[in-house]
């Protein structure tokens, strides 16, 4: 729901200020529409339904994986594709993977989103509407900004959305913002963040040469600078930064590279997430044995790590697989 438009509409109607909060409480609690808002006068509910679309996004397609993961492709009002994912874990956790942009202007070689056309930054309301969509299906308790886009390129809107997630059931401690290390945004995060939101850094390589090869953004913001910012964050907040490291066969998965990674990171500031690669084209994922050997070498450096569980691969909902299929884009563009 476009919260700015909601505010303006209510103000123009001369409604008391608390109405905004009433509407938001219903929406954040998973209401299906204005009809459900029983503490609003009927006439107002009708007017709002006509003036303020209940969601800024419309659902184009939705798929459910065998493991319960749901991937939804939305469209913004001006036609940009946006994907988001709900992950349901056996222990009851319900985690959302949210997009911050339609597409992504960065061109990480292993990520499908980088191969599609970049659309634009999403507004805070468009980000929240992804969460509300899933909230209408089930209570939710975790969120990661690991969908389409680079959150630090859209810092203000991402942060505005994240600030409201507790109303939807997701506390700041259960919210993670992931970045390639886009330095201007990362610096702002470290300087300005006043809530315990988690930070994750997509690293994927233990040295600049390799990282620049697979992540062109590294040419602009090299390892030394982004790791220094992350350490500054840990020193300020006492909260470790997660390192994401996607395992690419024969590229970054040698045990010696694990040792180098351990040396680069040190024991005090980081926790590493080793991510099995989800095929998107040009690389092969490391085998299980290879990942285990890498982890063993990393364990020897005493840097803590875990291997991430892969979800939703059968519906292209897994990490790095979010990209609107050309077919869908063509259909959306064609006259009905
Ligand atoms: N742009 C931000 C937010 C997106 S996060 C960032 O990169 O951090 C998406 C995560 O999935 C990143 O850690 C990314 O490196 C990882 N990823 C990308 N492609 C992947 C793939 N094919 N398989 C597994 N993980 C992938």
């Amino acid at each position: 729901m476009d919260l700015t438009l909601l505010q303006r509409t209510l103000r123009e109607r001369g409604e008391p200020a608390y109405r905004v909060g009433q509407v938001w409480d219903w929406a954040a609690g998973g209401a299906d529409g204005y009809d459900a808002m029983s503490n609003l006068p009927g006439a107002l509910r009708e007017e709002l339904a006509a003036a303020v679309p209940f969601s800024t996004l419309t659902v184009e397609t939705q798929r459910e994986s065998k493991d319960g993961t749901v991937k939804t492709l939305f469209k913004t009002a001006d036609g940009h594709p946006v994907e988001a994912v709900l992950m349901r874990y056996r222990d009851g956790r319900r985690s959302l993977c949210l997009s911050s942009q339609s597409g992504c202007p960065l061109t990480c070689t292993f990520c499908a989103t980088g191969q599609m056309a970049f659309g634009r930054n999403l507004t805070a309301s468009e980000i929240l509407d992804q969460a509300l969509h899933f909230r209408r299906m089930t209570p939710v308790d975790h969120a990661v900004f690991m969908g389409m886009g680079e959150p630090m390129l859209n810092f203000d809107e991402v942060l505005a959305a994240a600030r409201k997630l507790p109303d939807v059931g997701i506390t700041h401690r259960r919210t993670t913002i992931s970045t390639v290390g886009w330095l201007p945004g990362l610096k702002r995060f470290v300087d300005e963040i006043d809530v315990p939101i988690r930070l994750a850094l997509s690293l994927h390589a233990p040295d600049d040469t390799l990282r620049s090869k697979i992540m062109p953004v590294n040419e602009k913001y090299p390892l030394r600078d982004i790791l220094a910012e992350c350490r500054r964050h840990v020193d300020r907040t006492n909260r470790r930064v997660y390192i994401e490291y996607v395992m690419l066969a024969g590229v970054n998965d040698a045990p010696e590279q694990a040792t180098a990674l351990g040396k680069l990171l040190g024991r005090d500031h980081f926790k590493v997430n080793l991510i099995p690669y989800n095929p998107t084209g040009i690389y092969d994922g490391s085998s299980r044995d290879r990942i285990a050997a890498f982890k063993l070498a990393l364990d020897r450096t005493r840097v803590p790590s875990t291997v991430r569980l892969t979800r939703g691969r059968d519906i292209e909902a897994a990490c790095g697989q979010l990209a609107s299929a050309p077919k869908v884009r063509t259909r959306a563009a064609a006259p009905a």
Side-chain angles (χ1 to χ4, degrees):
M1 174 182 309
D2 182 336
L3 295 171
T4 315
L5 177 62
L6 172 71
Q7 246 161 3
R8 197 173 59 226
T9 308
L10 288 170
R11 197 173 340 108
E12 281 169 5
R13 257 190 119 255
E15 290 291 330
Y18 61 79
R19 289 281 186 233
V20 180
Q22 284 181 318
V23 173
W24 171 246
D25 285 346
W26 280 105
D32 281 328
Y34 293 103
D35 271 355
M37 304 183 181
S38 53
N39 53 353
L40 260 58
L44 178 59
R45 297 199 307 244
E46 273 173 37
E47 274 185 51
L48 286 179
V52 187
F54 194 65
S55 178
T56 58
L57 304 174
T58 50
V59 174
E60 283 280 287
T61 54
Q62 183 157 285
R63 293 169 72 193
E64 181 160 347
S65 157
K66 284 181 291 202
D67 65 21
T69 301
V70 180
K71 176 169 89 163
T72 306
L73 169 64
F74 304 93
K75 219 171 59 178
T76 62
D78 57 345
H80 290 290
V82 177
E83 284 189 328
V85 178
L86 163 71
M87 289 158 285
R88 296 185 261 211
Y89 294 92
R90 251 178 250 145
D91 63 5
R93 248 181 325 142
R94 298 282 181 271
S95 189
L96 303 179
C97 181
L98 304 175
S99 291
S100 55
Q101 302 181 309
S102 172
C104 184
L106 305 179
T107 50
C108 302
T109 53
F110 45 81
C111 180
T113 307
Q115 318 303 318
M116 66 180 274
F118 174 61
R120 62 166 171 79
N121 280 340
L122 300 179
T123 65
S125 295
E126 287 166 338
I127 295 168
L128 284 167
D129 274 327
Q130 300 166 48
L132 294 184
H133 171 74
F134 295 112
R135 176 62 190 86
R136 291 192 277 277
M137 290 177 203
T138 171
V140 289
D141 48 32
H142 286 74
V144 293
F145 282 85
M146 297 187 188
M148 291 177 166
E150 168 49 43
M152 297 303 182
L153 283 167
N154 188 17
F155 185 85
D156 290 303
E157 299 298 310
V158 166
L159 199 62
R163 284 189 192 284
K164 284 186 123 33
L165 283 176
D167 299 341
V168 187
I170 301 163
T171 63
H172 293 317
R173 284 175 206 283
R174 291 173 166 184
T175 301
T176 303
I177 296 181
S178 177
T179 179
V180 297
W182 187 264
L183 207 54
L186 182 55
K187 280 203 159 107
R188 281 193 62 194
F189 183 89
V190 178
D191 285 331
E192 295 175 27
I193 199 81
D194 54 358
V195 287
I197 291 176
R198 291 258 173 200
L199 179 62
L201 176 70
S202 291
L203 194 71
H204 309 315
D207 60 79
D208 278 311
T209 310
L210 177 59
R211 193 166 191 265
S212 294
K213 220 160 95 186
I214 62 178
M215 300 175 72
V217 65
N218 192 69
E219 303 269 4
K220 201 172 166 74
Y221 302 122
L223 280 178
R224 208 180 55 163
D225 297 350
I226 61 179
L227 288 174
E229 274 314 298
C230 291
R231 290 200 173 93
R232 196 160 72 85
H233 176 67
V234 181
D235 293 340
R236 288 176 73 122
T237 63
N238 240 333
R239 284 189 299 276
R240 276 183 198 254
V241 171
Y242 293 120
I243 296 292
E244 294 160 274
Y245 195 100
V246 56
M247 302 293 297
L248 306 171
V251 177
N252 65 357
D253 67 343
E256 306 80 69
Q257 287 167 313
T259 309
L261 179 65
K263 241 191 223 145
L264 177 73
L265 296 177
R267 289 185 216 167
D268 300 333
H269 296 87
F270 301 103
K271 183 174 177 231
V272 177
N273 256 314
L274 299 174
I275 310 175
Y277 179 64
N278 300 303
T280 60
I282 69 172
Y283 298 103
D284 290 324
S286 310
S287 68
R288 264 197 210 187
D289 287 354
R290 192 87 172 152
I291 296 176
F294 189 92
K295 179 164 165 41
L296 203 66
L298 192 57
D299 288 345
R300 289 208 187 93
T301 70
R302 308 268 194 88
V303 173
S305 65
T306 50
V307 178
R308 183 183 286 174
L309 224 60
T310 293
R311 314 281 299 179
R313 219 188 240 183
D314 57 328
I315 56 165
E316 284 89 45
C319 304
Q321 294 187 313
L322 300 190
S324 70
K327 207 170 70 195
V328 175
R329 260 183 287 165
T330 319
R331 186 147 39 89

